[in-house]
Amino acid sequence: FRGPGGPAESFTVDQSAGINTTNAIGINYSDKWNSKTNITASYFFNNTKNKNYSSTNNKLFEENLTTFRNSNTNSDNFNHRFNARLEYKADSNNILFVIPSLNLQQNNSNADGFVNSYKNSNDSLYNSFSNALRDKSGYNLRNNIMFRHAFRKKNRIFSMGFNTTFTRNYSNSTV
């Protein structure tokens, strides 16, 4: 856990060729609920859209060969991240930490391409069209529960922790 905002990588977005649009918002919360309980929490959302269109026209004059290539890709990515840290100080020697984290992600993308090669205007050598659709989603739920006891003798500490992680990823592709 890296402060209220969570890990630094939670705020990064992969760079892709084309036009990228990113919308992001986050909120942090910190409070002392009572003399024994402190909490910090954060929520972060981002949405990244990428659009990339390319068109290429090659002409080999010696062979009188012309090739057109067009490709179009679009992707839409959503991320939700929630992190919290609860500290309960039962007394001056005993502390209980509860640190949950939930990350949700969804990505939808499509890509299509077209290639046409010909020698003369009515002499087609090669035509190709491709299309790919991809839908991906997943979540990661983590929890860290830790108990720490400080003994009266200086620098003597006993700690015990329990971690749980539940991850699920889904992917569907059509080519």
Side-chain angles (χ1 to χ4, degrees):
F1 187 80
R2 186 181 179 269
E9 63 271 9
S10 295
F11 297 97
T12 59
V13 177
D14 292 335
Q15 295 299 311
S16 301
I19 298 172
N20 291 300
T21 305
T22 301
N23 296 301
I25 189 167
I27 187 167
N28 293 320
Y29 173 78
S30 181
D31 196 9
K32 186 171 189 166
W33 284 353
N34 57 46
S35 62
K36 295 183 176 194
T37 310
N38 293 322
I39 187 166
T40 56
S42 67
Y43 170 76
F44 176 74
F45 167 80
N46 82 8
N47 169 241
T48 304
K49 295 182 181 197
N50 174 265
K51 296 180 186 235
N52 188 4
Y53 176 79
S54 67
S55 181
T56 306
N57 182 6
N58 295 327
K59 183 155 182 93
L60 297 173
F61 291 103
E62 290 179 6
E63 299 176 20
N64 195 26
L65 179 66
T66 303
T67 303
F68 291 105
R69 285 186 171 85
N70 291 321
S71 68
N72 186 23
T73 59
N74 295 298
S75 67
D76 205 359
N77 191 53
F78 295 91
N79 292 295
H80 297 270
R81 289 178 167 76
F82 171 78
N83 295 291
R85 179 183 176 110
L86 179 76
E87 294 180 17
Y88 174 72
K89 295 180 183 179
D91 54 41
S92 61
N93 293 339
N94 297 294
I95 302 176
L96 178 68
F97 299 95
V98 178
I99 306 169
S101 171
L102 175 64
N103 299 325
L104 305 167
Q105 183 172 15
Q106 181 176 359
N107 180 281
N108 303 315
S109 64
N110 64 14
D112 52 74
F114 176 74
V115 177
N116 182 303
S117 295
Y118 59 90
K119 277 203 174 233
N120 298 314
S121 59
N122 21 335
D123 185 15
S124 179
L125 296 175
Y126 179 80
N127 287 309
S128 171
F129 177 77
S130 63
N131 182 277
L133 300 172
R134 291 180 179 84
D135 294 319
K136 299 177 184 178
S137 63
Y139 57 90
N140 188 341
L141 176 62
R142 292 183 294 250
N143 197 23
N144 180 10
I145 300 171
M146 184 174 66
F147 171 75
R148 185 172 69 194
H149 173 76
F151 292 98
R152 291 182 190 216
K153 190 172 182 180
K154 191 173 178 166
N155 295 326
R156 304 286 183 184
I157 296 174
F158 169 78
S159 62
M160 176 174 54
F162 178 73
N163 294 306
T164 59
T165 301
F166 186 72
T167 301
R168 180 68 51 111
N169 292 307
Y170 303 96
S171 180
N172 184 24
S173 298
T174 305
V175 180

